[in-house]
């Protein structure tokens, strides 16, 4: 609710026209006027709503290059740590191994990532960016920086920095 509490029920009763639902109950026309009750004070609810906004802006900002947030994370970690195993990437990013395999398949089809048989463990693969992947990741990072500027514009520079400090323990 943009950082402020308000008695939504009273506001709705005074200003919002209501229509009768099929079951005779009054329903509200405007989703912003629906009371959230205890959710207003729940950090998890606020973080989830912010995450939805973040993902929507990221997808919009990087839409022309067709990269999703998780794909970007995988490419960034591989680019920073060439030769990591699939298991190491999955563990570091908190991605289920099966989901990571699917992600890597799609990134490999786009010629952004390559799997190389590990010299240390023949049962696993070392992950590397292709030359095309390195070029693409540089572009993705520029667009991700633009997205971060959108975040800063939305919540302010100090709040963004404070948020990153708060969340640092979870990364």
């Amino acid at each position: 609710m943009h950082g402020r509490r308000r008695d939504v029920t009273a506001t709705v009763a005074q200003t919002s026209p209501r229509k009768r639902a099929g079951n005779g109950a009054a329903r509200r026309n405007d989703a912003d006027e629906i009371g959230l009750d205890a959710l207003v004070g729940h950090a998890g609810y606020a973080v989830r709503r912010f995450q939805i906004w973040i993902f929507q802006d990221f997808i919009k900002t990087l839409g022309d290059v067709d990269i999703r947030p998780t794909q970007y994370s995988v490419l960034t970690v591989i680019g920073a740590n060439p030769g990591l195993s699939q298991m190491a990437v999955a563990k570091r990013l908190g991605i289920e191994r099966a989901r990571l395999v699917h992600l890597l398949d799609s990134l490999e089809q786009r010629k952004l990532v390559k799997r190389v048989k590990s010299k240390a463990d023949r049962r696993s693969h070392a992950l590397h960016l292709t030359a095309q992947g390195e070029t693409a990741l540089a572009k993705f990072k520029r667009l991700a920086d633009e997205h971060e500027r959108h975040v800063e514009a939305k919540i302010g520079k100090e709040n963004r920095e404070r948020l990153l400090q708060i969340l640092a323990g979870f990364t």
Side-chain angles (χ1 to χ4, degrees), residues 79-104:
N81 305 277
L84 281 180
S85 70
Q86 291 177 196
M87 186 177 291
V89 172
K91 187 173 182 178
R92 182 62 178 107
L93 292 175
I95 300 172
E96 292 177 17
R97 281 179 53 199
R99 182 161 183 249
L100 180 64
V101 169
H102 177 71
L103 273 166
L104 291 171

Side-chain angles (χ1 to χ4, degrees), residues 48-66:
R48 177 66 176 138
R49 293 302 303 250
F50 187 54
Q51 179 196 25
I52 291 168
W53 181 89
I54 290 257
F55 275 38
Q56 288 173 342
D57 186 78
F58 185 97
I59 291 164
K60 179 179 163 190
T61 305
L62 281 86
D64 289 344
V65 293
D66 191 29

Side-chain angles (χ1 to χ4, degrees), residues 127-146:
L127 301 172
H128 296 272
L129 296 181
T130 62
Q132 186 175 332
E134 289 177 10
T135 301
L137 181 57
K139 181 176 185 175
F140 302 160
K141 284 180 177 181
R142 286 191 299 275
L143 291 169
D145 286 345
E146 180 181 333

Side-chain angles (χ1 to χ4, degrees), residues 92-120:
R92 182 62 178 107
L93 292 175
I95 300 172
E96 292 177 17
R97 281 179 53 199
R99 182 161 183 249
L100 180 64
V101 169
H102 177 71
L103 273 166
L104 291 171
D105 288 345
S106 70
L107 294 171
E108 202 169 36
Q109 287 174 351
R110 292 175 65 180
K111 299 186 181 350
L112 301 176
V113 170
K114 62 183 172 187
R115 294 174 173 118
V116 177
K117 287 250 187 225
S118 172
K119 293 173 183 167

Side-chain angles (χ1 to χ4, degrees), residues 4 18 23 28 47 63 89 100 128 141 159 166:
R4 65 179 190 271
R18 293 178 181 222
N23 63 5
R28 297 174 177 140
V47 167
V89 172
L100 180 64
H128 296 272
K141 284 180 177 181
N159 285 337
I166 292 166

